[in-house]
Structures are given as structure tokens and as C-alpha cells.
Amino acid sequence: LNDFKTAWGITTENIPATGITLDKSTLSFTDSASQTLVATVEPSDTTDKVVWTSNAESVATVANGVVKPVSNGSATITATCGSVLATCSVTVDIAEEEQVTLTSIGATYTGGEVAVGTALTALTGITVTGTYSDGSTATITGYTLSGTIAEGSNTITVSYGGKTTTFTVTGVAESGGDTTDISAL
């Protein structure tokens, strides 16, 4: 069989790698675009194959030398060929603007008129919605309210995540002029 392989120019000899280098020793990512590492192996006719690995796939992944950032942090990419290896240090620092953030909030009130002196925490019928940088919206809980309920039109401020909005509540005096705080009852 070996004579047949020799006649056809097929080598059966193992040629181990004696060295490997990468074209870059460091990579920095500030956006989500991939970058490519090129491995040079000695001797060029080695029968060993290059195997790529990342020590932190939650930060950066690698396939055939193509490094893709995943999340902010540091990783080491290793190219191994037989018993030799080379490494590249990777730093990922993707800008905040590529992450989804809260851009504004809005509030609606459907609770009707409220007795003068009612505590803001007793108000019902408030819906607060957040709008995000990717265009999505979601109902928000955990917001804070400020203002007081006096007779007539009242502007109540809603705050959440550094954003504010307002809605209007009509305060009415209870019969007999009693302005007792109903939230304390």
C-alpha cells in the first residue's frame, strides 16, 4: 500500500509543526465588527492543523481566525498547531450607544377626580410606559410621583430612570369642606 501511495505522490509521513506566529498580538474592539487573525505555521508543509480557542467565549469567540466580540471585557485567543501555540490578547469595549437604553417615559391617568389631600401613593389608574432606543416600549413599575392634590387641576410629575413626565389630576373638595387624607384612614 505504501508503494501505491508513493507512486501517486501521497505522503504518509507526519510532519510536526515546529513554530506558529500570529499577525497580531493584540486586538481591540470598540464596535461589534469582527476582526481576523492570520496564523503562520513552520514548516509550511506541516500535517498538523491549526485549532483556534478563546478562554472567555462570553467576551469574544473565534472560528478559523475570525474573532467576534460578544461583550465588554478581556479574553485570550489561542492558535494551537500540534505542540506549539501562539496567543493574542483581546479587549472588548463596545460603546454604550450600541446598547438599548431608555429614551423617554409617558404617563396616562384614568382614575377620575380625587379628593383634596389624597396621598399620591393612593392614586390608581396610572399607566407609565417607557420608550427605548431600539423603538420598543414597555410598561414601567417602580416609578416615583411628586406633587400634591389641591382643589382644581393638579400636575403630577412621574420620574423613572432619570426621565420625567407629567399628568393632570382634578382635585375636588369633599362635601362639608373636610380635607382629610383618605390614605391615612
Side-chain angles (χ1 to χ4, degrees):
L1 183 62
N2 283 337
D3 290 338
F4 180 72
K5 287 181 180 179
T6 303
W8 284 87
I10 299 171
T11 179
T12 58
E13 181 183 350
N14 258 353
I15 303 172
T18 57
I20 185 171
T21 57
L22 296 176
D23 63 331
K24 297 177 189 96
S25 60
T26 62
L27 288 178
S28 293
F29 293 89
T30 57
D31 59 31
S32 58
S34 296
Q35 296 182 43
T36 302
L37 289 170
V38 176
T40 303
V41 181
E42 292 292 329
S44 60
D45 62 345
T46 181
T47 54
D48 292 332
K49 302 294 180 204
V50 177
V51 177
W52 297 91
T53 58
S54 169
N55 74 335
E57 290 193 345
S58 62
V59 174
T61 61
V62 63
N64 297 321
V66 178
V67 181
K68 178 162 180 47
V70 177
S71 66
N72 291 351
S74 298
T76 300
I77 301 300
T78 303
T80 305
C81 189
S83 62
V84 294
L85 61 89
T87 62
C88 176
S89 297
V90 174
T91 303
V92 179
D93 188 13
I94 298 174
E96 288 276 332
E97 60 267 9
E98 290 192 24
Q99 300 173 15
V100 176
T101 58
L102 179 67
T103 57
S104 65
I105 62 172
T108 57
Y109 175 72
T110 58
E113 295 179 337
V114 178
V116 171
T118 299
L120 296 179
T121 55
L123 292 178
T124 59
I126 303 168
T127 303
V128 179
T129 305
T131 301
Y132 295 85
S133 58
D134 65 354
S136 66
T137 60
T139 301
I140 293 175
T141 59
Y143 53 83
T144 58
L145 301 174
S146 58
T148 57
I149 304 296
E151 193 167 352
S153 180
N154 297 272
T155 300
I156 306 300
T157 301
V158 180
S159 301
Y160 179 83
K163 309 294 182 198
T164 60
T165 190
T166 60
F167 63 90
T168 303
V169 175
T170 301
V172 293
E174 296 184 73
S175 59
D178 182 6
T179 59
T180 304
D181 182 353
I182 64 169
S183 67
L185 300 177

